[in-house]
Amino acid sequence: MQRPGWVRSAWLNLGVAAVMTLSASCDAQPTDPTDSETDARAPFGLELLAGSLGGRGNADGTGGAAAFDLPTSVAVDGAGNVYVADARNDTIRKITPAGVVTTLAGAAGQIGSADGTGAAARLGDPDGVAVDAAGDVYVADTFNSTIRKITPDGAVTTLAGSAGFTGSADGTGAAAQFNLPEGVAVGGDGNVYVADSQNFSIRKITADGVVTTLAGTPGVAGSADGTGAAAQFVNPTSVAVGGDGNVYVADQDNATIRKVTPAGVVTTLAGTAGQIGSADGTGAAASFSNPEGVAVDSAGNVYVADGFNAAIRKITPAGAVTTIAGTAGTGGSRDGTGAAARFSVVSGVAVDGTGTLYVADQFNNTIRKIAPTAAVTTLAGTASQAGATDGRGSAARFFTPTGVAADRDGTVHVTDFGSVRRITPAGVVSTLAGVGGAVGSADGKGNAAQFDAPAGAAVDKAGNLYVADEGNHTIRKITPAGVVTTLAGTAGMRGSADGTGAAARFNTPAGVAVDGAGNVFVADLANFVLRKITPAGLVTTLAGTAGMRGSVDGSGADARFEVLTDLAIDDAGNLYAADFGANVIRKITPAGAVTTLAGTPDVPGSDDGTGAAARFHNPTGVAVDKAGNVYVADTENHTLRKITPAGIVTTVAGTAGVAGIVLGATPQLAFPEYLTIVGDSIVFGDNRTVLLLRHGAP
C-alpha cells in the first residue's frame, strides 16, 4: 500500500506505514513553526538529522547508476534479461545481463490504470511480475486489482480484472475480479497463476482470459490443506510454476510454503502455520518469517525470498530447507558468499536456466544476483547503508524507519525494523526498546522486548510512547524507561473485535495519536476504521465499519475510509487522518463525525488550492500545530504540504514530480512518509534517514 499497508512487505514496509506526531494536547507543545511571525522569517531549509542518504529513486542507467523505489518482484527470461516490478515507481523495469536498466512500461510516480505503450501506460503499485517463453510480461497490478500483459515492445493491455473494482468473481477478462493480487506466474502451457492476496486464494487465467479459482475460498483465511475450496491461505503473496505444472505459493502470513497440483490439491511443503522463525530443516521442522517470493528451477528446487529473515532459502523436492545466502535476522547490504552476504527485506526471487538467482532486495532498492556458488553481487541500484547502529548524525544507521513522534523536550522517537529508537535534539541516536532487525512480540524492558514491523508512534504528556505494532496487530506502550507492554490486541491474532486489552482485535494498525486524557486513537488500516482505546485498554470503533472500504463522509459507522495510514490530534480533540488510498486528508470530531478537509477522493494530483480543489498523491503522514495548521507528507508528490484551518493547501517544501533529497535552502524531497513538529522545525523521514526542515537552514 503499502499502497495498502496490510500487505506488510510492500506497503507497510510500504513503507507505508506512516506515523504519528506529538499530541497537540501535550501542555509543552513546541512552538508553531509557521505562525505569522515565523512565516516572515527565512524560508525552510533541509538538514540531515540522522541516518544514511541515498538509495531510492527512478533513474534508468547501468548498474549502480540506476535507481529503484521498492522493487518487489523479479522475473528472468531465456536471454537473461531481468524484469522488475518497481512498485512505488509504478513501473516495470528491464535489466539486461550487462546491468543496463530501462523502463519497459509505466511512468515513474504516475499511478493509474491506462493501457498503452511504454510511458503512455499507467500502473498502480505493481507487485508481481512474470515472463513467458515469447517474452510477454505479466504483471500483478496490485492497486488496480488487475492482471496486465506487456508485449516485448512495451504495449500494455489488461488481461483480466477491471481497474477500480475489487472482488472475487470468476469470469472472462474484465468480468473477473481480484482483490489486491500480489504475485503472478506463467506456466509452460501459457496459463497464468495469481496469488490473489486479499481473497486468500490462488487463481488461474487461461490464454484467452478465462479466470477460475484453483484453490482457496475468497474471504476465508486459514492454513488448511485440502482440494480446491477446502484449502485455506492467509495473504498469499507469490506464486511459481514448476515444469510439472505444480504451483508453489509463498503463504506469507502463515509463514509457510505451499504446493498446489494442477488438480488444485494443496499441501504444505515447508514450515508450520503460525510458527515464525529461521530454522533450517525438513518440512514442518523448518520455519520462515514473512516469506514473500518463490521461484522453482528445472530440478524442482524451490527458492524462497524469506522477507524478514533477510535471507534466501532453498527447498528440495523432498522438503529439505537450507539457507543459501544471507544470515537470518542480520540485515544490511553487503555482497559476499552465502552467509557473508547481507540483504534488507527481500521480497522477490527468480531463477534462470543456469541456476543463477535474481533477488528483489526491497528496502535496499537494489537487484541482487546469486551465482550457483552462492556468491552474491549487486546487479543494479545502489543501497543506502542499513543497520541498527546507534551514534550521532550520519554515523547512525536505520533499517526502515516507519514512524516518528516527538516529546516535550524535543527528543524524536523513531520506529525502526524490530526496534524503537531515540534521537536527541543534537542528533544522537540510541535504542529505547527492541533489537534492530529482529522480529517477535515479547513484552519486556529494552532489548528484551520484541516488535514486528512497528509503524506509527505517539507520545503522551507523561512521556509514554504508544506504537502501532503492525505485524503483530497490537498496540504497544513503552515507558520512558523502555518498559514495553501490550495495551490492546493479541500478537498474531488479526480481526476487528472491540473489547478490553487482549480481547480486542486489530488488522494492521498503522497510525496512532493520543489526547490529553490518555485516550489512544488508532488508524486500523486493513479494517478501514478508526479505533479508540481508553487508558484502561477498552477498545471501541469511533468511525467507519470494519471491512467496508470507501471514501464517504458521515458519522460513526456511516463513514467510510480507504487506506488510513496516519493520525494527528489538535487541542480540541479533533483528529486528522491521512487517507492514503483516497488521496485526501480527513477530519474526525471527538463524536466521530467525518468530513474531508482537503482533496477530492480518488483524484490524485499535486495542485494547491482550497478544500476539494487541492490535490494529493498518496499522502502518508500528518501533523498538526497549535494554530490548527495541518502538515502533510505528500509521499508520491515528494512534497510537504500545509493546510490551514480554512482548508487552504500550499506546498511547504519539495517539487511535485521531482524525487531526490537535496539539502540546503532549496530543498528537494524523495517520498517523505512521516513527520512531527519539533520547535520551529518539521522532522520527517525518507528511506533510512531522518531529516529536519527548519527556517534558515544552510
Short mmCIF file of all heavy atoms in Angstrom, two decimals, residues 349-397:
data_model
loop_
_atom_site.label_atom_id
_atom_site.label_comp_id
_atom_site.label_asym_id
_atom_site.label_seq_id
_atom_site.Cartn_x
_atom_site.Cartn_y
_atom_site.Cartn_z
N VAL A 349 12.16 -13.35 -5.90
CA VAL A 349 13.28 -14.16 -6.34
C VAL A 349 12.91 -14.82 -7.66
O VAL A 349 11.74 -15.16 -7.90
CB VAL A 349 13.67 -15.21 -5.28
CG1 VAL A 349 12.53 -16.15 -4.99
CG2 VAL A 349 14.94 -15.97 -5.67
N ALA A 350 13.89 -14.95 -8.55
CA ALA A 350 13.70 -15.63 -9.83
C ALA A 350 14.94 -16.47 -10.10
O ALA A 350 16.03 -16.18 -9.56
CB ALA A 350 13.47 -14.63 -10.96
N VAL A 351 14.80 -17.49 -10.94
CA VAL A 351 15.92 -18.36 -11.26
C VAL A 351 15.98 -18.58 -12.76
O VAL A 351 14.95 -18.73 -13.42
CB VAL A 351 15.82 -19.71 -10.50
CG1 VAL A 351 14.55 -20.46 -10.86
CG2 VAL A 351 17.06 -20.57 -10.72
N ASP A 352 17.20 -18.56 -13.32
CA ASP A 352 17.33 -18.80 -14.76
C ASP A 352 17.77 -20.25 -15.02
O ASP A 352 17.92 -21.05 -14.09
CB ASP A 352 18.27 -17.78 -15.40
CG ASP A 352 19.73 -17.91 -14.98
OD1 ASP A 352 20.11 -18.97 -14.41
OD2 ASP A 352 20.50 -16.97 -15.22
N GLY A 353 18.00 -20.57 -16.28
CA GLY A 353 18.32 -21.93 -16.66
C GLY A 353 19.67 -22.41 -16.17
O GLY A 353 19.93 -23.63 -16.14
N THR A 354 20.55 -21.50 -15.76
CA THR A 354 21.87 -21.89 -15.25
C THR A 354 21.89 -22.08 -13.74
O THR A 354 22.92 -22.44 -13.18
CB THR A 354 22.92 -20.84 -15.62
OG1 THR A 354 22.69 -19.64 -14.86
CG2 THR A 354 22.87 -20.52 -17.10
N GLY A 355 20.75 -21.79 -13.10
CA GLY A 355 20.70 -21.87 -11.64
C GLY A 355 21.07 -20.58 -10.95
O GLY A 355 21.15 -20.53 -9.72
N THR A 356 21.29 -19.51 -11.72
CA THR A 356 21.57 -18.20 -11.14
C THR A 356 20.26 -17.60 -10.63
O THR A 356 19.23 -17.64 -11.31
CB THR A 356 22.21 -17.28 -12.18
OG1 THR A 356 23.45 -17.85 -12.59
CG2 THR A 356 22.45 -15.89 -11.62
N LEU A 357 20.32 -17.03 -9.42
CA LEU A 357 19.15 -16.42 -8.81
C LEU A 357 19.23 -14.90 -8.92
O LEU A 357 20.31 -14.31 -8.88
CB LEU A 357 19.05 -16.80 -7.33
CG LEU A 357 18.88 -18.28 -7.01
CD1 LEU A 357 18.99 -18.50 -5.51
CD2 LEU A 357 17.54 -18.78 -7.51
N TYR A 358 18.05 -14.28 -9.02
CA TYR A 358 17.93 -12.83 -9.02
C TYR A 358 16.97 -12.46 -7.90
O TYR A 358 15.92 -13.10 -7.73
CB TYR A 358 17.43 -12.32 -10.37
CG TYR A 358 18.36 -12.72 -11.50
CD1 TYR A 358 18.22 -13.96 -12.14
CD2 TYR A 358 19.40 -11.88 -11.88
CE1 TYR A 358 19.10 -14.34 -13.15
CE2 TYR A 358 20.28 -12.27 -12.89
CZ TYR A 358 20.12 -13.50 -13.51
OH TYR A 358 21.00 -13.87 -14.50
N VAL A 359 17.32 -11.44 -7.13
CA VAL A 359 16.59 -11.11 -5.91
C VAL A 359 16.19 -9.64 -5.91
O VAL A 359 17.02 -8.77 -6.18
CB VAL A 359 17.44 -11.41 -4.66
CG1 VAL A 359 16.71 -11.01 -3.38
CG2 VAL A 359 17.83 -12.89 -4.62
N ALA A 360 14.91 -9.39 -5.58
CA ALA A 360 14.46 -8.02 -5.33
C ALA A 360 14.75 -7.72 -3.86
O ALA A 360 14.06 -8.20 -2.97
CB ALA A 360 12.97 -7.89 -5.63
N ASP A 361 15.81 -6.95 -3.64
CA ASP A 361 16.20 -6.57 -2.28
C ASP A 361 15.46 -5.28 -1.96
O ASP A 361 15.98 -4.18 -2.12
CB ASP A 361 17.72 -6.40 -2.22
CG ASP A 361 18.25 -6.35 -0.80
OD1 ASP A 361 17.45 -6.37 0.14
OD2 ASP A 361 19.48 -6.28 -0.63
N GLN A 362 14.26 -5.46 -1.46
CA GLN A 362 13.24 -4.42 -1.45
C GLN A 362 13.68 -3.13 -0.79
O GLN A 362 13.62 -2.05 -1.38
CB GLN A 362 12.00 -4.98 -0.76
CG GLN A 362 10.78 -4.11 -0.84
CD GLN A 362 9.61 -4.77 -0.14
OE1 GLN A 362 9.74 -5.26 0.97
NE2 GLN A 362 8.47 -4.77 -0.78
N PHE A 363 14.11 -3.20 0.45
CA PHE A 363 14.41 -1.97 1.17
C PHE A 363 15.82 -1.45 0.91
O PHE A 363 16.16 -0.36 1.34
CB PHE A 363 14.16 -2.15 2.65
CG PHE A 363 12.69 -2.12 2.99
CD1 PHE A 363 12.23 -2.63 4.17
CD2 PHE A 363 11.78 -1.61 2.09
CE1 PHE A 363 10.87 -2.61 4.47
CE2 PHE A 363 10.43 -1.58 2.37
CZ PHE A 363 9.98 -2.08 3.57
N ASN A 364 16.63 -2.25 0.22
CA ASN A 364 17.89 -1.71 -0.28
C ASN A 364 17.70 -1.05 -1.64
O ASN A 364 18.63 -0.43 -2.15
CB ASN A 364 18.95 -2.80 -0.38
CG ASN A 364 19.62 -3.08 0.95
OD1 ASN A 364 19.84 -2.17 1.75
ND2 ASN A 364 19.93 -4.35 1.21
N ASN A 365 16.51 -1.24 -2.24
CA ASN A 365 16.22 -0.69 -3.56
C ASN A 365 17.26 -1.12 -4.59
O ASN A 365 17.71 -0.34 -5.43
CB ASN A 365 16.11 0.84 -3.50
CG ASN A 365 14.90 1.28 -2.72
OD1 ASN A 365 13.77 0.93 -3.07
ND2 ASN A 365 15.10 2.00 -1.64
N THR A 366 17.63 -2.40 -4.50
CA THR A 366 18.60 -2.97 -5.42
C THR A 366 18.11 -4.32 -5.93
O THR A 366 17.24 -4.95 -5.33
CB THR A 366 19.98 -3.17 -4.75
OG1 THR A 366 19.81 -3.97 -3.57
CG2 THR A 366 20.61 -1.84 -4.37
N ILE A 367 18.71 -4.73 -7.04
CA ILE A 367 18.50 -6.08 -7.57
C ILE A 367 19.82 -6.82 -7.41
O ILE A 367 20.86 -6.39 -7.90
CB ILE A 367 18.07 -6.05 -9.04
CG1 ILE A 367 16.84 -5.14 -9.22
CG2 ILE A 367 17.77 -7.47 -9.53
CD1 ILE A 367 15.63 -5.50 -8.39
N ARG A 368 19.75 -7.96 -6.71
CA ARG A 368 20.95 -8.73 -6.42
C ARG A 368 20.99 -9.99 -7.29
O ARG A 368 19.96 -10.47 -7.76
CB ARG A 368 20.99 -9.13 -4.93
CG ARG A 368 20.63 -8.01 -3.96
CD ARG A 368 21.68 -6.93 -3.89
NE ARG A 368 22.90 -7.38 -3.23
CZ ARG A 368 23.05 -7.45 -1.90
NH1 ARG A 368 22.04 -7.12 -1.10
NH2 ARG A 368 24.20 -7.84 -1.37
N LYS A 369 22.16 -10.52 -7.47
CA LYS A 369 22.37 -11.72 -8.28
C LYS A 369 23.15 -12.73 -7.45
O LYS A 369 24.14 -12.39 -6.79
CB LYS A 369 23.15 -11.35 -9.55
CG LYS A 369 23.43 -12.48 -10.52
CD LYS A 369 24.16 -11.93 -11.75
CE LYS A 369 24.49 -13.02 -12.75
NZ LYS A 369 25.18 -12.47 -13.95
N ILE A 370 22.68 -13.97 -7.45
CA ILE A 370 23.34 -15.03 -6.68
C ILE A 370 23.76 -16.13 -7.65
O ILE A 370 22.91 -16.79 -8.27
CB ILE A 370 22.42 -15.62 -5.59
CG1 ILE A 370 21.81 -14.51 -4.72
CG2 ILE A 370 23.19 -16.62 -4.72
CD1 ILE A 370 20.83 -15.02 -3.68
N ALA A 371 25.06 -16.35 -7.77
CA ALA A 371 25.59 -17.40 -8.64
C ALA A 371 25.33 -18.77 -8.01
O ALA A 371 25.06 -18.88 -6.81
CB ALA A 371 27.09 -17.19 -8.84
N PRO A 372 25.42 -19.85 -8.80
CA PRO A 372 25.25 -21.19 -8.24
C PRO A 372 26.23 -21.49 -7.10
O PRO A 372 25.98 -22.37 -6.27
CB PRO A 372 25.49 -22.10 -9.45
CG PRO A 372 25.07 -21.27 -10.62
CD PRO A 372 25.50 -19.88 -10.27
N THR A 373 27.34 -20.75 -7.04
CA THR A 373 28.31 -20.91 -5.95
C THR A 373 27.88 -20.18 -4.68
O THR A 373 28.59 -20.22 -3.67
CB THR A 373 29.67 -20.34 -6.37
OG1 THR A 373 29.52 -18.94 -6.68
CG2 THR A 373 30.20 -21.07 -7.60
N ALA A 374 26.71 -19.50 -4.73
CA ALA A 374 26.17 -18.69 -3.62
C ALA A 374 26.87 -17.35 -3.47
O ALA A 374 26.69 -16.66 -2.46
CB ALA A 374 26.17 -19.45 -2.30
N ALA A 375 27.66 -16.95 -4.46
CA ALA A 375 28.29 -15.64 -4.44
C ALA A 375 27.26 -14.58 -4.82
O ALA A 375 26.63 -14.66 -5.88
CB ALA A 375 29.47 -15.59 -5.41
N VAL A 376 27.10 -13.59 -3.96
CA VAL A 376 26.08 -12.55 -4.14
C VAL A 376 26.75 -11.27 -4.63
O VAL A 376 27.73 -10.80 -4.04
CB VAL A 376 25.33 -12.27 -2.82
CG1 VAL A 376 24.31 -11.16 -3.01
CG2 VAL A 376 24.67 -13.54 -2.32
N THR A 377 26.21 -10.71 -5.70
CA THR A 377 26.65 -9.41 -6.20
C THR A 377 25.43 -8.53 -6.42
O THR A 377 24.29 -9.01 -6.43
CB THR A 377 27.43 -9.56 -7.52
OG1 THR A 377 26.63 -10.27 -8.46
CG2 THR A 377 28.74 -10.29 -7.31
N THR A 378 25.66 -7.24 -6.60
CA THR A 378 24.58 -6.30 -6.87
C THR A 378 24.52 -6.03 -8.36
O THR A 378 25.49 -5.49 -8.93
CB THR A 378 24.77 -5.00 -6.07
OG1 THR A 378 24.82 -5.30 -4.68
CG2 THR A 378 23.64 -4.03 -6.34
N LEU A 379 23.41 -6.39 -8.99
CA LEU A 379 23.27 -6.22 -10.43
C LEU A 379 22.92 -4.79 -10.80
O LEU A 379 23.46 -4.24 -11.77
CB LEU A 379 22.20 -7.18 -10.95
CG LEU A 379 21.85 -7.10 -12.44
CD1 LEU A 379 23.06 -7.47 -13.29
CD2 LEU A 379 20.67 -8.00 -12.76
N ALA A 380 22.03 -4.18 -10.03
CA ALA A 380 21.59 -2.81 -10.37
C ALA A 380 21.08 -2.11 -9.13
O ALA A 380 20.50 -2.73 -8.23
CB ALA A 380 20.50 -2.85 -11.44
N GLY A 381 21.25 -0.79 -9.11
CA GLY A 381 20.82 0.02 -7.98
C GLY A 381 21.95 0.19 -6.97
O GLY A 381 22.94 -0.55 -6.98
N THR A 382 21.81 1.19 -6.12
CA THR A 382 22.78 1.46 -5.06
C THR A 382 22.05 1.57 -3.74
O THR A 382 21.11 2.37 -3.61
CB THR A 382 23.56 2.76 -5.33
OG1 THR A 382 24.26 2.64 -6.57
CG2 THR A 382 24.55 3.05 -4.22
N ALA A 383 22.45 0.79 -2.76
CA ALA A 383 21.79 0.80 -1.47
C ALA A 383 22.35 1.89 -0.57
O ALA A 383 23.56 2.14 -0.57
CB ALA A 383 21.95 -0.55 -0.78
N SER A 384 21.46 2.54 0.17
CA SER A 384 21.95 3.33 1.29
C SER A 384 22.35 2.35 2.38
O SER A 384 22.05 1.16 2.31
CB SER A 384 20.87 4.28 1.78
OG SER A 384 19.71 3.57 2.16
N GLN A 385 23.04 2.83 3.39
CA GLN A 385 23.60 1.92 4.39
C GLN A 385 22.58 1.65 5.48
O GLN A 385 22.09 2.55 6.14
CB GLN A 385 24.87 2.53 4.98
CG GLN A 385 25.97 2.73 3.93
CD GLN A 385 27.22 3.32 4.52
OE1 GLN A 385 27.67 2.93 5.58
NE2 GLN A 385 27.79 4.30 3.83
N ALA A 386 22.26 0.36 5.65
CA ALA A 386 21.25 -0.05 6.62
C ALA A 386 21.92 -0.63 7.86
O ALA A 386 23.05 -1.08 7.83
CB ALA A 386 20.33 -1.09 6.01
N GLY A 387 21.16 -0.64 8.95
CA GLY A 387 21.65 -1.27 10.16
C GLY A 387 20.93 -0.74 11.38
O GLY A 387 19.95 0.00 11.28
N ALA A 388 21.43 -1.13 12.54
CA ALA A 388 20.83 -0.69 13.81
C ALA A 388 21.86 0.02 14.66
O ALA A 388 21.78 0.01 15.89
CB ALA A 388 20.26 -1.90 14.55
N THR A 389 22.83 0.65 14.01
CA THR A 389 23.93 1.29 14.74
C THR A 389 23.46 2.57 15.40
O THR A 389 22.87 3.45 14.77
CB THR A 389 25.08 1.61 13.77
OG1 THR A 389 25.46 0.43 13.08
CG2 THR A 389 26.28 2.18 14.51
N ASP A 390 23.71 2.68 16.70
CA ASP A 390 23.49 3.94 17.39
C ASP A 390 24.68 4.85 17.16
O ASP A 390 25.79 4.40 16.82
CB ASP A 390 23.28 3.70 18.89
CG ASP A 390 21.97 2.98 19.19
OD1 ASP A 390 21.04 3.07 18.37
OD2 ASP A 390 21.88 2.33 20.25
N GLY A 391 24.45 6.16 17.32
CA GLY A 391 25.54 7.10 17.09
C GLY A 391 24.98 8.47 16.79
O GLY A 391 23.77 8.71 16.88
N ARG A 392 25.84 9.37 16.38
CA ARG A 392 25.42 10.75 16.12
C ARG A 392 25.29 10.99 14.62
O ARG A 392 26.16 10.62 13.84
CB ARG A 392 26.43 11.73 16.71
CG ARG A 392 26.03 13.22 16.51
CD ARG A 392 27.15 14.14 16.97
NE ARG A 392 27.40 14.04 18.38
CZ ARG A 392 26.78 14.76 19.32
NH1 ARG A 392 25.86 15.63 18.96
NH2 ARG A 392 27.07 14.60 20.59
N GLY A 393 24.18 11.62 14.22
CA GLY A 393 24.01 12.07 12.85
C GLY A 393 24.19 10.99 11.81
O GLY A 393 23.59 9.91 11.89
N SER A 394 25.06 11.24 10.85
CA SER A 394 25.24 10.32 9.74
C SER A 394 25.95 9.03 10.14
O SER A 394 26.01 8.08 9.35
CB SER A 394 26.02 11.00 8.61
OG SER A 394 27.29 11.41 9.07
N ALA A 395 26.48 8.96 11.36
CA ALA A 395 27.10 7.72 11.82
C ALA A 395 26.06 6.69 12.24
O ALA A 395 26.36 5.50 12.32
CB ALA A 395 28.03 8.00 12.99
N ALA A 396 24.85 7.13 12.53
CA ALA A 396 23.78 6.21 12.91
C ALA A 396 23.24 5.50 11.68
O ALA A 396 23.35 5.99 10.57
CB ALA A 396 22.67 6.96 13.63
N ARG A 397 22.65 4.35 11.92
CA ARG A 397 22.06 3.58 10.84
C ARG A 397 20.66 3.10 11.24
O ARG A 397 20.44 2.71 12.39
CB ARG A 397 22.92 2.36 10.49
CG ARG A 397 24.26 2.72 9.87
CD ARG A 397 24.10 3.30 8.47
NE ARG A 397 25.38 3.68 7.89
CZ ARG A 397 25.89 4.90 7.95
NH1 ARG A 397 25.22 5.86 8.57
NH2 ARG A 397 27.05 5.16 7.39
#
